[in-house]
Amino acid sequence: MPRLSRVAVLLLVLPFAAGACKKKPVAVEPEPQMPVTPAAQPTTPADDGGAAAAAAAEAARRAIEMARSVLLQTIYFDYDSDELRSDSRAVLDDKLRVLNANPSLRVRIDGHTDERGTDQYNLALGRRRADQAKRYLIDRGIDASRIETTSYGRERPAAQGSNEDAWSQNRRGEFQIVAGGAELRAP
Amino acid sequence: MARAGARALVASALLVAGATAVEAQERPSGVSLTLEYSPGQRIALMVLPIRGAAGDSIKTILERDFDFSNRFQHVPAISAPEFGEPLNYALLARAGAAGVVQSQLLASGWLRVVLHDVTGKKVMQQNDFPLPTAVNTDGWRLGVHAIADQIEEWITGQKGIAATRIAFVREGRVWVVDSDGANPRAVTPRGLSPSWHPSGRYIVYHVLEDDRHRLAVTDLVTGAQRSLTNLAGALDNTAAISPDGRSVAFARSVEATAGQTDLFVMPFQGGPANRITVARGSINLSPTWSPDGRRLAFESDRSGRKEIYISDADGTNVTLLTADAFGEKNRRADPSWSPDGRAVAFSSEVGGRRQILTISLRDQSVRQVTSEGQNNTPTWAPDGRHIVFTSSRSGTDQLWVVDTESGRTRQLRVGAGARLSSWSGRLSAVP
């Protein structure tokens, strides 16, 4: 499971980083409003300027979507533990770049647990997991006021079932965008 | 006089049990007795048929209440003598009855109850009990349960627990069910971790919202819900109301120190919450009051292991209660202080499974009262003898009641996924 997550992280981050390098200046602009003139739809591929602009806009859009998916990527925990695993730290490092590029962005971290243990303790444990992730980010320069934490304990499982596969998917921290999501910029 | 009569009946019950030892052995020795305890003496009790439209319902409720009390052995009625005619005690004794409950519905809807001591060949007690005129309503059923509890007190000297209710959580809402499993109904639009006010009128519970967890109170009479706490960024849960009904102890974590959870106490009517633990990064939760309201038991991982602690109600004088009773890392949780003050029930992992245990406050001796499935969240009935808890033993989470003296266990059939139960105090019947 940790190994799989790591691969997933790499797959997400690599194209994202490449896209960000190439098209950074474009990404700063809001979505360019293409003047659409219905009378003069180009029919030949000779119109290089329009195609390039469209490609740039598409790349910018994808970079922003990538930033959003990095921001919302879930992190996972071991049983009855609030320690950040190495795969979770890597995900948080990626989130750091997005948070740094978007000073007005505010997020909430929702801690979750598996169904084992007691329901009441699981709420406190979920909160502790969310707080660990928050500490990691504010220790690296993110203002504490930009991150809220809460916990759902075992109340909102991501996977159903009473087996390790389901449990490992349920011991997690989910990220929600509280403010600033509409004008998200890629790092 | 009632007490002396009670002793006489118990003594005669013992005699009957001795005289008919073979019969006693042939009787079913209880449903699902566990290995931990041997069953205690049960008094052979017969409930005679009751004339009138509601008679059968009353008889059924009384018999089930006596069965669930685990203090009586059911003896089927062998005859339906006219009320007021002398009973054939010799015949009843041969049927195995030590006591006989004979009742008559009065024109007012009240129930006249006569308790016969079969061996002593005499009437031991009698009384007229009020019942609401509307049969089979909540209040009427509660009234019948209260009659069962009074008969039980006549015989054993201790009031029963039939006129009580159990709150629990199912499908994200708080429900209430009668002690015999009848009449489950949802009482809040949503909520977790219910806990009773001693009056039986209110339940405090926990509401999970996206940016806060708050405590709320439902009024079972009016159906109104009010917020008890409402602090942005706070996670408030596991509330417990003090025995005098004036204070609420609960667990809270706040945004600035979200990794720790402290215990707080606040007025039940609302007001400032005072922190009574110094968590320093630890989790402290699930407070439970001693019957005199002067102390609290709670769970904490302050030592690195989850254990049960006791403190004064202001948080001072903390002592570890579950000191290495079963080795390391047993994740002890869910304390519930018995109403007689003698023990604390809690849950703990035993060999990888969570079980219900009790620990004596006198000598710290520990008894395990469950052995099947995963079990948690015990709370005591007002008799200090029965415990309701959640168990996975049937394949899904369900509520179960165990008699800690006999080990006899029954399921409260309120649907799959029921959990987080809380037993009320004794409820007074409303005529």
Side-chain angles (χ1 to χ4, degrees), chain A residues 79-80 108 110 117-121 123-125 127-128 131 134-135 147-152 154-156, chain B residues 206 208 210 213 233 235 237-238 253-256 258-259 281-283 285 301 306 331 333-334 419-420:
Chain A
Y79 175 54
D80 199 14
R108 190 183 76 230
D110 301 339
T118 66
D119 299 351
Q120 297 96 335
Y121 175 79
L123 283 166
L125 176 61
R127 183 73 181 257
R128 211 181 232 178
D131 191 53
K134 174 179 175 174
R135 302 266 150 223
I147 307 172
E148 300 170 15
T149 62
T150 191
S151 172
Y152 295 103
R154 59 160 277 192
E155 306 299 329
R156 297 188 185 176
Chain B
H206 158 217
L208 188 159
D210 280 346
H213 294 238
L235 195 168
N237 76 337
T238 63
S253 81
V254 296
E255 185 66 60
S282 68
I283 291 172
L285 80 170
D301 66 353
K306 296 194 244 325
R331 299 188 170 90
D334 305 330
R419 59 195 169 110
L420 296 167

Side-chain angles (χ1 to χ4, degrees), chain B residues 346-384:
Chain B
F346 62 101
S347 73
S348 175
E349 286 183 8
V350 179
R353 285 178 176 273
R354 186 160 288 275
Q355 304 295 349
I356 308 298
L357 302 95
T358 63
I359 182 167
S360 159
L361 291 166
R362 185 172 51 81
D363 60 8
Q364 277 70 53
S365 61
V366 173
R367 303 206 315 182
Q368 185 177 335
V369 298
T370 61
S371 54
E372 290 177 70
Q374 301 273 1
N375 309 276
N376 62 60
T377 331
T379 61
W380 291 94
D383 63 359

